[in-house]
Amino acid sequence: LETDPNIKEEGVKIHMDIFSVQSLKFITCIDGYSKFLVIQQIKDKINLKDKVLEILQGFPKKENNN
């Protein structure tokens, strides 16, 4: 995986996907800059919003310099 030259720091662009292996389902989340990866097993797509928010809380946060 190559780093996107337009991204200059962590937490700016995140890629997410859901995939299945046999009867197991997983959600993946990759930071576009650092390639930090989280893979988490899910039971189904119900309450997926809660699972996504939980995953995103584990990612490095971009500091607001306002």
Side-chain angles (χ1 to χ4, degrees), residues 14-18 26-29 38 40-42 44-59 61:
I14 296 176
H15 308 274
M16 300 188 86
D17 198 10
I18 297 173
F26 298 89
I27 186 167
T28 62
C29 193
V38 173
Q40 195 161 34
Q41 186 175 353
I42 57 174
D44 50 41
K45 293 181 183 179
I46 298 172
N47 296 325
L48 190 58
K49 179 181 174 183
D50 295 337
K51 189 59 72 175
V52 168
L53 291 174
E54 180 183 321
I55 291 171
L56 291 177
Q57 289 176 356
F59 271 80
K61 292 184 177 42

